[in-house]
Every structure is written in structure tokens, then in C-alpha cells.
Amino acid sequence: MAAMVAGLLDRSLPRWHCFVQLARLDRPIGIYLLLWPTLWALWLAARGTPSDHNLLIFIAGVFLTRSAGCAMNDYADRHFDGHVKRTQQRPLVTGKVTPKEALIFAGVLFLLAFILVLGTNGLTIALSFAALGLAAAYPFAKRYTYLPQVVLGAAFGWSIPMAYAAQAGALNSQTWLLFIANLLWTVAYDTQYAMVDRDDDVRLGIKSTAILFGDLDNLMIGCCQVFALITLATVGLQLGLSWPFFLSLVVALGAFSYQQWLTRDREREACFKAFLSNHWVGAIIFLGILTCHL
């Protein structure tokens, strides 16, 4: 069946796989890292299972906005990616997709995501404009600041107030604590990701927290991880969550400790492996939240 679908696409849309690559659908780690905090927020805002309506909107929105963000990122980095080992085969570098096509593709995906948001409420729609601004700003942040990971954290975390607004109709202190926890976690894992490209980025003049932190990179990552868990624990205490949630935080702490061991020598492959393992951290925490509401 998969071969038949691929063959049909090859005949009707000969370059479909180039846009799959542009959207990074062949590398779904970014979807997971955006999806899990969104699900945290939906379940906590609902104090149980969220509505099917909101669940479908936000899951589809995660796929669309992450894909659009990847296309925007590749457009912004099109003059740099050819000089970085990890990104030399991206479709804008190889010429399989033109810059104009990438912009149109990103615009269509953002438009589809906005249409989805129109199915929620006024507060969520208003918050979506900030989400668009953050998503558009992140790809260019590395030109001007050593803290692009903070911008990414805000962009990835903005699904949290949007989810609260859609499900609960209002924002509260737990909304922003959850947002801060996710921002800290994002800075930690995206610094690990930036450690993979650090030598290339220094040569090209691209800025990142991995460069800013220097030899203190693992210490700063560890601080972000610990404070993220403390902030999540505060959310759990305020909401009166039961022991499975706090157990999930202990397991997450163990995963973070393993990541610290992986990145101790700053080797590219080990840093990338540590980054990828954050998917399981998000999943474990969601499982803890889910179990509390069964």
C-alpha cells in the first residue's frame, strides 16, 4: 500500500518528497517536542480529558506549524546550510526547492494552521498572532543574539497558553509556570542540538547558547533541566496532582542525568543522541499527567 501511494505521488507530484524533507516530516523529533507540552497543557487545563474538538485542532496545528517553521528556517539559513555538515542535503541547498517555493509552502501551512484556530475562541485567536510572530522571528534570531534557543523556547511554548485559552477559556498562574518550565527545557535540549554544529557555527558567525555557554555548556543545560523540573513540580503541587506525576519528574531527572553523561565529551553524535532522547522526557511527563486523570 505504501509503495502504491508513493508511486501515485511520484506521478502526480514528482517533487513531493522534497517538500516532505523541507517540512522535516521524515524527521519527526520536532513534532514530538512541540506535541508533548501541548498535550500537557490541554490535559491540565481540562483537569482531565480535553474535548475531542480541541484535541484534533491542536494535534493538527502542531504538525502544520512545526512544518511551516522548518520551511521558514531553511529559507532563512539557505546561505549557511551548505557549509554545515549536518544540513548540506537540505532541499534549498541542493536546489530541489526554490526560495520562493519554500516561502509559499510555509505561508500555506501557516494559513491552514490559522484556519484551524478559527475553530476555537477569541482569546486563542488573539494569542495565535503572537505565535506567528515568534515562529517567524526564530529563524533569524541566530543572526543577532546568542540566545536564539530562548526565542525557540517561547515559540514552542506558546502552544501552552493557546491550549489553556481554548480549553479553559482563560489563562492562570499554572499556564505561565508551565510555559516557563517548557522554555527552560527547550533551551536545554536545543543547546544540546546546537553543540552538534558548534564548530561550524563559530566559523560561519552564527550565534547560539552552545557558543555563549562555552565550557559551561553542560552545567548551564543541567541548571535549565533542574529548574524546569522544579517549576513543573510547583505546577503539580498547585493543582494537587497525585504521585504518578511526581514519579514522572523523577524519571525525567534520571533521563537528564543520562544526557549529561552522553554529552560529557561534547562529541557530535553523542550530543545529537542526547537531544533526540528528549522526546521520551516529554512523553514520560505526559504519561504522569494522564495517569493522574484516569
Side-chain angles (χ1 to χ4, degrees):
M1 178 62 72
M4 290 176 60
V5 172
L8 179 62
L9 287 171
D10 283 336
R11 289 190 294 273
S12 57
L13 298 169
R15 292 191 298 142
W16 68 272
H17 52 88
C18 299
F19 289 92
V20 167
Q21 186 182 2
L22 181 66
R24 231 73 97 238
L25 294 178
D26 56 334
R27 298 186 178 186
I29 179 63
I31 292 173
Y32 301 145
L33 293 173
L34 180 56
L35 178 63
W36 293 124
T38 304
L39 296 181
W40 301 349
L42 282 171
W43 254 260
L44 292 177
R47 300 296 182 95
T49 304
S51 69
D52 292 342
H53 177 76
N54 282 332
L55 197 56
L56 288 172
I57 285 175
F58 278 89
I59 290 175
V62 162
F63 277 83
L64 290 169
T65 54
R66 189 265 180 168
S67 298
C70 288
M72 281 294 298
N73 184 76
D74 283 11
Y75 174 81
D77 287 350
R78 65 193 185 280
H79 300 306
F80 296 97
D81 282 345
H83 304 283
V84 178
K85 181 180 179 182
R86 182 178 55 83
T87 58
Q88 287 175 341
Q89 297 305 311
R90 286 182 174 174
L92 277 169
V93 177
T94 60
K96 294 177 180 177
V97 175
T98 69
K100 182 179 179 180
E101 288 172 334
L103 280 178
I104 293 172
F105 183 64
V108 169
L109 294 177
F110 278 131
L111 178 61
L112 291 173
F114 182 68
I115 291 171
L116 282 175
V117 173
L118 294 178
T120 59
N121 55 36
L123 178 56
T124 311
I125 293 169
L127 288 168
S128 72
F129 289 100
L132 177 60
L134 288 167
Y138 165 68
F140 300 96
K142 66 189 75 172
R143 313 288 188 277
Y144 307 104
T145 176
Y146 283 99
L147 299 171
Q149 282 68 33
V150 176
V151 181
L152 180 67
F156 266 38
W158 204 250
S159 64
I160 291 170
M162 289 182 64
Y164 260 87
Q167 185 63 43
L171 308 180
N172 56 31
S173 61
Q174 289 82 38
T175 307
W176 299 112
L177 285 172
L178 201 63
F179 173 81
I180 291 168
N182 187 67
L183 189 151
L184 289 166
W185 178 42
T186 306
V187 170
Y189 68 63
D190 204 52
T191 299
Q192 292 169 338
Y193 191 46
M195 289 165 70
V196 177
D197 298 331
R198 179 158 44 192
D199 294 342
D200 291 326
D201 288 347
V202 169
R203 177 170 49 83
L204 294 169
I206 296 174
K207 299 176 174 64
S208 72
T209 47
I211 296 171
L212 176 66
F213 296 156
D215 292 339
L216 298 177
D217 47 9
N218 276 334
L219 174 62
M220 296 302 293
I221 289 169
C223 288
C224 287
Q225 291 169 331
V226 169
F227 282 115
L229 293 177
I230 290 172
T231 308
L232 286 171
T234 303
V235 172
L237 289 170
Q238 289 186 359
L239 294 177
L241 298 183
S242 56
W243 65 266
F245 174 71
F246 296 97
L247 177 60
S248 75
L249 299 186
V250 173
V251 176
L253 179 61
F256 288 152
S257 299
Y258 174 63
Q259 291 173 11
Q260 288 282 322
W261 181 81
L262 280 176
T263 59
R264 66 195 185 283
D265 296 322
R266 281 77 173 178
E267 295 178 354
R268 283 181 185 247
E269 292 301 320
C271 291
F272 191 61
K273 184 177 181 180
F275 162 72
L276 291 175
S277 70
N278 282 280
H279 156 49
W280 296 107
V281 173
I284 288 164
I285 294 171
F286 175 63
L287 182 61
I289 294 171
L290 183 65
T291 305
C292 289
H293 294 100
L294 291 178

